[in-house]
Amino acid sequence: MKKIREDDVIKLLNELRKKYEVIAPVKLDGRVYFKTLGEGDVLTLDYVNSVVSPKDFFLPQKERILEFSESGGEVTVEDELSSKKRVFFGIRPCDVNALLILDSVAREGFEDPYYLGRRDNTLLISLECVEPGDDCFCSVFNTGPSLDEGADLVFTDIGDFYLVKSLTDEGERLVSGSEFFRKATGGDEETAGKKRKECVKGMESLDLRNFSVDEEVVKEKAKRCLYCYSCTFICPTCYCFDVVDRMDLYSRNGERMRFWDSCMNPSFTEMAGNFNPRDGMVGRFMNRINHKLRYMRDRYGVYGCVGCGRCIRNCPAGISMLEILREGVRK
Amino acid sequence: MGSDTENALKREARNLLKKGDVDLVLGYCMEGDNVIPCFISSPGEVDGLVWNNRCKNNLAVYLRELEGRVAVVAKGCDSRAIVELLKAKQVEREDLIILGVSCRGMVDKEGEEYGSCRVCLHRNPVVYDLFVGEKVSEREERDVDELESLSLRERLEFWSKQFRKCINCLACRNVCPMCFCEECVLEKKDPEWITRAGDASNLFLLHAIKATHMAGRCVECGECERACPVDIPLMHLYSRVCRDVEELFGVESGMNLEDKPPLAAFDLERDAMLEENEKNKRG
């Protein structure tokens, strides 16, 4: 195991910027966002988690997936695949687990080359949590606060230093090729272990073995849902998107755009002739909860929620996923 | 925040339900540490009602969807939204019993007062059937708008920076008690007025359209800002266009049921309308 001095983290990232695009947490108007580091950007290490989830860098809110053009009867199509080498620093364990869920989705049946291209070309340096946020409940799903798979490197705050654990060969290469890492002691590892334990203690513990979605409880909550869609947009595991083709005035050249959609939007399931199989608000809300807590578990063997708490923090109607879980266990 | 008000509120709610005057009481309850909007349909549930400084939600947003006769707890901004909904014929007055309460400003979990509450000039309900608690004194004057003193270019920069954060979730529209159009220009697909997955200028356009549609209608409850995941100070924009409407037509949104909605009641004889609204104000 290695460690790195806190002051050296920014030096390391600056070093990495020579070879990679580096994505890291920065403050904007007092809140934390992940951003591609540019000149003048100030890294912050003091945060619970980002406002918008890291999925934006793998499945962007909007992206051009291909371009097409027609000339002399010939149509050419060009895919917009990403091969940019990137380092994503500071991603929290819950969000790493969320990416693992998105991977399952992107690999199921048809492969999603746009998403997977970004995933394959991005090194993840995860920052474990040593202090839970008010709305965090990763402990419920075991998706944090510590991390044993999914990232290339895992940093743990142990005071003046970060303990560094490499989980992949690429992570190992990064560490061995840099002068900023030094050998960690047994004491460092002990400190990290203690901090992780403390962090878990500060969070909810729920035994999900007997969990099932309590439909009555969920329906009751659906009544006050305002269908604002924001939970689906900031959720690290929501992946639904829409696609639109945009043509030039002569209908010769165009681009295909993909962008986030939301199952909370009535038009999400609207069909030709205005028929909507999932009409009514309660049905839409029910589907979102069932998708996270039932369908994904049935399909991929893991819950579709990682307990990052973003939806709880942002819900204007005070609807809490954690409360739905509690009720589902209590029942 | 006196629990006297809360108790009085419970008493009135219980009475109304017992007598069968209403089918439902729309108010606030607790869930864990959170204050949440709740729908109470039997006298036995009335004890769950609360009134404190965390009752931030504008309950008027639920009224259009509710069936039967409803008693709604209304602070200043809720009551102003109700006035606007009545003016726009979105709810029936006889289906409502408005339980007016005065507000001292709502605070978030950390105890910080919301931006919309800090600038609020109407903490007392403007319309009600029953009033509980005590009236509070109102601030007389609006704060100086700091953005106003900036140059056009600086303001453009400010808002461009804000809109660059936008993730196009439309939460601002979806939580707004005034946004009740069956079809919304912001996500109409055929024709597509706002380019989906467009660039920064499209987002700017989206917010500009939203703001102009709030002219003369925004009741300054601040729900848009609270729902915005990326903290865009949207209410500032909407308040600003409402100030223009006030100046031009003499109407402050959500204050008077008799006011003609300035941008809905198109009148070439603008002066005649101004006069009428002035008269209403005096009367």
Side-chain angles (χ1 to χ4, degrees):
Chain A
M1 257 266 204
K2 293 277 167 71
K3 63 179 175 180
I4 181 169
R5 192 181 275 286
E6 198 182 313
D7 309 341
D8 284 343
V9 172
I10 186 64
K11 289 182 197 154
L12 169 74
L13 296 184
N14 281 334
E15 188 70 30
L16 288 171
R17 273 182 60 202
K18 291 177 189 158
K19 252 177 82 184
Y20 300 92
E21 177 184 320
V22 174
I23 302 153
V26 297
K27 269 200 178 138
L28 180 60
D29 297 339
R31 300 191 62 190
V32 171
Y33 295 82
F34 286 112
K35 185 178 179 301
T36 297
L37 283 189
E39 288 308 322
D41 282 326
V42 183
L43 171 81
T44 179
L45 291 165
D46 170 32
Y47 64 101
V48 173
N49 210 342
S50 60
V51 175
V52 183
S53 86
K55 78 173 173 196
D56 196 18
F57 288 88
F58 301 92
L59 179 70
Q61 191 257 317
K62 59 188 172 224
E63 63 174 319
R64 182 163 65 189
I65 52 179
L66 53 88
E67 274 183 294
F68 47 88
S69 56
E70 188 259 0
S71 143
E74 284 278 308
V75 178
T76 48
V77 177
E78 213 165 309
D79 258 321
E80 189 115 333
L81 293 170
S82 171
S83 57
K84 225 185 303 173
K85 289 276 176 204
R86 306 187 300 179
V87 169
F88 198 124
F89 174 81
I91 183 169
R92 293 296 191 185
C94 56
D95 288 336
V96 172
N97 278 289
L99 287 179
L100 298 180
I101 293 170
L102 294 183
D103 291 351
S104 306
V105 177
R107 292 211 165 89
E108 191 186 35
F110 296 98
E111 295 219 323
D112 178 342
Y114 313 103
Y115 169 86
L116 291 171
R118 293 196 186 87
R119 276 290 275 138
D120 292 342
N121 286 303
T122 309
L123 268 155
L124 296 182
I125 304 179
S126 180
L127 191 54
E128 282 188 338
C129 298
V130 290
E131 216 174 302
D134 289 343
D135 304 305
C136 293
F137 58 103
C138 60
S139 52
V140 170
F141 297 110
N142 215 2
T143 47
S146 51
L147 188 71
D148 296 313
E149 67 158 322
D152 296 281
L153 292 175
V154 181
F155 281 32
T156 316
D157 186 354
I158 50 169
D160 294 339
F161 285 90
Y162 286 96
L163 186 72
V164 178
K165 176 168 70 174
S166 52
L167 300 177
T168 63
D169 294 344
E170 239 179 311
E172 188 58 51
R173 269 197 295 280
L174 199 149
V175 170
S176 55
S178 164
E179 58 189 280
F180 298 113
F181 297 92
R182 58 185 88 178
K183 218 170 148 36
T185 64
D188 293 332
E189 284 180 47
E190 220 169 275
T191 311
K194 256 189 224 153
K195 287 205 165 193
R196 288 184 198 117
K197 264 196 201 132
E198 278 301 307
C199 188
V200 176
K201 269 193 211 154
M203 265 186 283
E204 183 94 7
S205 69
L206 270 185
D207 186 354
L208 289 184
R209 269 175 302 183
N210 296 316
F211 172 80
S212 62
V213 175
D214 185 334
E215 300 223 346
E216 286 315 306
V217 165
V218 177
K219 276 184 192 151
E220 199 51 39
K221 294 197 193 305
K223 276 197 207 162
R224 67 174 197 265
C225 174
L226 292 164
Y227 298 84
C228 78
Y229 323 161
S230 68
C231 53
T232 56
F233 273 65
I234 53 177
C235 175
T237 67
C238 273
Y239 54 82
C240 287
F241 56 81
D242 199 353
V243 171
V244 66
D245 285 349
R246 209 167 296 298
M247 309 284 274
D248 70 2
L249 283 175
Y250 308 101
S251 296
R252 289 252 168 76
N253 307 300
E255 55 185 5
R256 177 162 295 175
M257 304 294 293
R258 148 160 105 170
F259 50 98
W260 295 347
D261 199 354
S262 170
C263 58
M264 294 282 109
N265 188 334
S267 75
F268 185 78
T269 46
E270 195 174 63
M271 298 177 182
N274 295 337
F275 174 66
N276 202 332
R278 199 184 292 140
D279 210 3
M281 296 182 168
V282 174
R284 297 204 296 279
F285 188 86
M286 201 71 220
N287 172 69
R288 189 177 104 78
I289 301 303
N290 273 330
H291 194 181
K292 299 276 175 222
L293 304 180
R294 277 171 69 179
Y295 309 149
M296 288 184 97
R297 188 184 48 174
D298 293 348
R299 237 156 133 167
Y300 309 118
V302 286
Y303 285 100
C305 172
V306 292
C308 72
R310 286 185 179 88
C311 57
I312 299 181
R313 201 148 40 242
N314 212 68
C315 182
I319 296 171
S320 159
M321 188 61 122
L322 180 56
E323 193 57 34
I324 291 173
L325 288 161
R326 286 187 193 129
E327 298 273 6
V329 171
R330 216 176 278 157
K331 186 172 58 124
Chain B
M1 295 289 128
S3 62
D4 285 353
T5 308
E6 190 177 289
N7 289 333
L9 204 57
K10 285 178 187 172
R11 205 162 43 239
E12 297 295 353
R14 196 175 289 118
N15 272 342
L16 290 166
L17 284 165
K18 264 190 187 155
K19 282 193 287 177
D21 286 354
V22 294
D23 302 300
L24 202 73
V25 175
L26 175 53
Y28 304 94
C29 297
M30 298 300 290
E31 185 185 87
D33 308 334
N34 270 331
V35 174
I36 56 163
C38 64
F39 311 87
I40 290 175
S41 51
S42 74
E45 301 166 62
V46 165
D47 267 339
L49 269 183
V50 297
W51 175 251
N52 57 37
N53 61 354
R54 301 268 309 281
C55 302
K56 63 182 194 303
N57 297 78
N58 189 331
L59 298 176
V61 71
Y62 295 105
L63 290 177
R64 291 176 61 255
E65 302 291 336
L66 293 176
E67 282 178 16
R69 240 167 105 80
V70 177
V72 54
V73 177
K75 52 191 181 294
C77 51
D78 307 59
S79 72
R80 290 179 70 197
I82 292 169
V83 168
E84 280 303 312
L85 289 173
L86 287 167
K87 272 160 73 179
K89 302 200 183 342
Q90 293 299 309
V91 288
E92 299 279 350
R93 185 65 182 89
E94 58 265 30
D95 289 342
L96 288 181
I97 290 186
I98 304 170
L99 298 170
V101 276
S102 292
C103 169
R104 290 174 195 273
M106 294 297 160
V107 301
D108 64 15
K109 254 184 171 173
E110 278 81 44
E112 195 179 330
E113 191 174 23
Y114 290 109
S116 57
C117 302
R118 280 201 298 270
V119 298
C120 177
L121 297 186
H122 305 291
R123 296 183 154 189
N124 296 304
V126 298
V127 54
Y128 51 84
D129 299 298
L130 294 161
F131 181 83
V132 290
E134 279 167 35
K135 294 272 170 78
V136 297
S137 61
E138 303 278 18
R139 281 151 38 103
E140 294 287 321
E141 281 195 34
R142 267 176 224 291
D143 286 341
V144 178
D145 181 355
E146 281 171 20
L147 276 176
E148 199 97 330
S149 64
L150 300 179
S151 70
L152 186 63
R153 178 183 289 272
E154 285 166 325
R155 271 178 283 155
L156 184 68
E157 259 168 39
F158 174 84
W159 288 108
S160 300
K161 193 179 150 207
Q162 291 299 328
F163 296 149
R164 268 202 296 276
K165 294 191 291 188
C166 176
I167 53 172
N168 213 347
C169 66
L170 293 180
C172 50
R173 178 203 65 178
N174 297 335
V175 299
C176 178
M178 290 305 115
C179 277
F180 46 70
C181 293
E182 288 293 321
E183 254 185 309
C184 174
V185 62
L186 301 183
E187 60 173 355
K188 199 156 159 40
K189 287 173 182 148
D190 188 19
E192 191 181 36
W193 294 109
I194 302 286
T195 308
R196 287 183 293 164
D199 56 15
S201 67
N202 292 107
L203 281 177
F204 206 108
L205 188 63
L206 181 147
H207 287 289
I209 292 177
K210 171 88 166 50
T212 46
H213 283 204
M214 296 316 293
R217 290 156 19 88
C218 174
V219 296
E220 299 160 314
C221 60
E223 288 287 48
C224 48
E225 298 185 344
R226 286 190 289 272
C228 179
V230 295
D231 297 326
I232 303 175
L234 291 158
M235 196 191 91
H236 190 101
L237 270 186
Y238 310 152
S239 302
R240 186 64 191 77
V241 286
C242 283
R243 295 294 87 75
D244 285 344
V245 170
E246 255 176 80
E247 256 169 56
L248 290 167
F249 302 100
V251 176
E252 187 178 4
S253 44
M255 293 306 288
N256 191 338
L257 270 171
E258 308 304 319
D259 281 339
K260 284 210 169 78
L263 300 181
F266 184 70
D267 193 341
L268 282 174
E269 309 276 334
R270 189 172 66 85
D271 289 346
M273 199 169 132
L274 246 180
E275 216 167 87
E276 200 182 323
N277 282 328
E278 278 299 319
K279 209 165 66 197
N280 280 334
K281 234 189 224 168
R282 284 195 297 271

